[in-house]
């Protein structure tokens, strides 16, 4: 069961007795902080981060998550005070992630579903730790009506802790297809993990039963990303990944990989080039890397690079 | 003060003592209906309608609001059960709008701000009625994580009643400019009043102090709409309004006007044609029509058509 928290002045709070099926009630706390309705609900006026945690309840990629969130807050025009509040909440995340771990290490773990992948109940059976993740949602705050927000508006910050899928040394092999939903282009918001996600919701509805991910194109039939991952395509022994300057989310695993591996080229990939792809993989912070074994029924090759990347990614979580 | 309600099985509810500054707390009710967090908050996964009401608490344009909402629910893939629930809630709206009116007719009315326009405290002083409006927010429901929603998910429906600005027989005269924020294009969502509104929030931040509205362009420098209105441009004695097939909201006042007036042509308007504009007006359901007296400091002519339209629009609310 997920646990829901809200940031209340200087601490994470979880109303007593509010977990699982009734967890939503916890939101009343956040929504009552100021006047009106949460602008996240009204306009999608905010950002989110989904982080994988190690056995200490920490995210090894925290600096990248914080960097993207801070960039997004600036683009959305959050005030310096609001940004300070968000940074404070992020710095105290271990208060709730540790609580999540201590809740679960002493009791049987119920597997949950993420991305429709088969789930393991425990990724570190040797020492009783659990795979866990946390999703942070930051909204501009509450207002009554209209797109304008008053000066001094205070952000609402929510956190959901959950059990994450097992992270194997080798990437999961998945079947994918090209999604019929194409992404709009908006350079102002490209790269950010903002709350305007109807395109992804519609794209998720278009998954075929055998798909675990799907390739999202822009309006020019160029590859952008997966529905919930970034994409890397191997053509002629060269790894390519699309730029994130008009659409898409600049994923933290993508950032991490690009910072480590020189041989990946960031360039536009027209859909027609998929026919020449030898290997394709997707990255996101929860599952690390997933490699495509079949694209619309056509088999692809496995590439040892991806196994290396996944092993390296997994080692980030084991070194704790 | 706005009043916030949530739809609870078969009636609108408002937790006792929860109004005004603490109104957000009412949302806990809605958010606790199902498992997890509201997908409106997580992804902007939903729609809204803002309706002007007459002295009986009814919207004369209700069929158009219902039609747009129903179309949006279908595009977003809401289930038939969910759509039935939304229709039921809409059919019972008078339960709360009448309550709003009865609250206010017997007490002094506090003016509120909408669109930064000067406010009147009473639009029907002869019989003690008030100008009022209601905003409805419909989200797909609650879920825990991931873009996919479970089968059988139940929508969350919120309503906010508020005092609306006075509706004059003649349109308000406003100063506007061209907004530097350009709209992305997404044919799948164009026309809908969905909850993914970060572009409008960013555009609202770019208003100059003297602006009451601003002209939004798409990525091709074509005019789409205002930030919170539709636009009509008079060039060579011909009224033009842009199509809503790639971006923009297909406003109910726009629909109503196009259904009545033959001489308005729906066609693409490149930004450069603004230099030839003799008159410009904006429409939305709260303010009816607002006519541009100065565009980026350059004076425009008033056009008697707009006064006719505004008088006609106002008469919809007086005939009750």
């Amino acid at each position: 069961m997920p646990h829901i928290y809200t940031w209340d002045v200087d601490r994470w709070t979880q109303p007593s007795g509010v977990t699982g099926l009734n967890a939503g009630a916890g939101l009343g706390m956040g929504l009552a902080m100021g006047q009106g309705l949460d602008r996240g609900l009204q306009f999608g006026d905010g950002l989110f981060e989904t982080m994988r945690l190690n056995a200490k309840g920490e995210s090894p990629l925290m600096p990248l998550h914080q960097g993207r969130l801070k960039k997004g807050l600036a683009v959305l025009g959050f005030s310096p005070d609001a940004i300070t509040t968000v940074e404070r909440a992020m710095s105290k995340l271990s208060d709730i992630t540790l609580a999540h771990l201590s809740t679960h290490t002493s009791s049987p773990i119920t597997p949950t579903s993420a991305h429709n992948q088969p789930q393991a109940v425990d990724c570190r059976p040797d020492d009783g730790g659990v795979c866990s993740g946390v999703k942070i949602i930051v909204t501009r705050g509450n207002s009554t009506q209209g797109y304008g927000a008053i000066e001094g508006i205070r952000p609402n910050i929510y956190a959901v802790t959950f059990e994450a899928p097992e992270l194997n040394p080798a990437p999961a092999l998945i079947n994918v297809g090209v999604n019929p939903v194409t992404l709009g282009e908006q350079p102002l918001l490209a790269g950010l993990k903002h709350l305007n996600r109807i395109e992804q919701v519609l794209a998720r509805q278009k998954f075929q039963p055998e798909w675990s991910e799907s390739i999202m194109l822009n309006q020019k039939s160029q590859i952008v990303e997966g529905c919930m991952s970034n994409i890397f395509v191997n053509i002629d022994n060269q790894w390519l990944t699309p730029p994130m300057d008009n659409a898409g989310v600049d994923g933290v695993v993508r950032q991490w990989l690009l910072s480590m591996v020189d041989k990946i080229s960031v360039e536009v990939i027209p859909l027609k080039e998929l026919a020449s792809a030898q290997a394709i993989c997707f990255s996101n912070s929860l599952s690390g890397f997933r490699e495509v074994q079949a694209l619309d029924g056509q088999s692809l090759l496995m590439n040892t690079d991806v196994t290396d990347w996944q092993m390296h990614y997994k080692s980030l979580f084991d070194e704790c």
Side-chain angles (χ1 to χ4, degrees), chain A:
Chain A
M1 286 291 184
H3 294 248
I4 300 178
Y5 301 82
T6 60
W7 181 252
D8 182 12
V9 186
D10 199 46
R11 65 192 182 97
W12 290 102
T13 62
Q14 185 189 32
S16 58
V18 176
T19 56
L21 278 166
N22 293 316
L27 279 188
M29 301 293 287
L31 292 158
M33 285 177 194
Q35 187 175 18
L37 300 191
D38 194 307
R39 293 170 60 90
L41 179 67
Q42 292 191 81
F43 310 124
D45 188 9
L47 302 152
F48 70 113
E49 291 289 332
T50 306
M51 288 174 265
R52 188 178 185 91
L53 305 172
N54 64 20
K56 287 183 180 168
E58 297 163 346
S59 166
L61 298 183
M62 179 61 97
L64 297 176
H65 288 289
Q66 284 176 316
R68 179 172 61 188
L69 182 58
K70 192 166 179 179
K71 180 182 174 187
L73 294 169
V75 171
L76 296 193
F78 278 56
S79 70
D81 275 358
I83 293 174
T84 301
T85 300
V86 174
E87 286 174 334
R88 177 79 177 147
M90 293 289 278
S91 75
K92 302 261 277 180
L93 258 186
S94 60
D95 290 357
I96 52 177
T97 55
L98 280 172
H100 177 72
L101 290 174
S102 63
T103 304
H104 287 84
T105 47
S106 58
S107 62
I109 296 152
T110 310
T112 59
S113 172
H115 301 174
N116 299 329
Q117 290 284 95
Q119 304 301 304
V121 294
D122 195 335
C123 68
R124 304 202 68 205
D126 293 343
D127 59 4
V130 294
C131 311
S132 63
V134 61
K135 177 175 176 174
I136 307 294
I137 301 174
V138 176
T139 79
R140 194 180 309 269
N142 295 359
S143 65
T144 51
Q145 193 202 338
Y147 297 123
I150 57 166
E151 288 223 7
I153 189 169
R154 291 167 53 200
N156 293 330
I157 311 174
Y158 309 94
V160 186
T161 55
F162 54 88
E163 289 144 55
E166 182 176 7
L167 198 59
N168 293 308
L173 297 179
I174 59 175
N175 297 320
V176 307
V178 176
N179 204 294
V181 171
T182 51
L183 297 168
E185 294 181 75
Q186 174 49 277
L188 277 178
L189 299 175
L192 305 185
K193 206 163 172 90
H194 57 67
L195 298 175
N196 281 198
R197 292 285 156 212
I198 293 179
E199 289 177 330
Q200 282 69 30
V201 171
L202 293 181
R204 187 65 188 79
Q205 292 174 1
K206 296 292 186 185
F207 275 34
Q208 299 294 319
E210 66 274 18
W211 293 0
S212 296
E213 236 311 359
S214 70
I215 296 173
M216 304 287 297
L217 309 177
N218 64 18
Q219 310 283 318
K220 305 186 193 92
S221 286
Q222 296 162 340
I223 295 169
V224 178
E225 59 187 356
C227 179
M228 48 226 178
S229 319
N230 287 114
I231 190 170
F232 299 84
V233 182
N234 191 291
I235 298 176
D236 294 335
N237 292 317
Q238 169 70 49
W239 282 106
L240 308 175
T241 191
M244 293 288 115
D245 49 0
N246 282 307
V249 175
D250 188 8
V252 294
V253 181
R254 177 182 182 275
Q255 291 178 35
W256 169 78
L257 189 66
L258 289 175
S259 73
M260 288 203 316
V261 179
D262 286 336
K263 63 181 175 181
I264 302 171
S265 175
V266 176
E267 57 183 77
V268 170
I269 311 173
L271 172 61
K272 62 185 179 189
E273 290 193 18
L274 265 194
S276 320
Q278 280 127 30
I280 297 174
C281 79
F282 293 93
S283 66
N284 85 7
S285 59
L286 288 185
S287 46
F289 295 88
R290 297 192 291 168
E291 194 163 10
V292 178
Q293 64 180 356
L295 168 65
D296 283 331
Q298 185 185 345
S299 294
L300 288 178
L301 300 173
M302 301 300 102
N303 189 301
T304 53
D305 287 343
V306 185
T307 307
D308 289 346
W309 301 343
Q310 180 74 352
M311 282 183 65
H312 197 147
Y313 187 71
K314 185 175 187 305
S315 73
L316 295 178
F317 297 86
D318 293 338
E319 288 166 0
C320 57

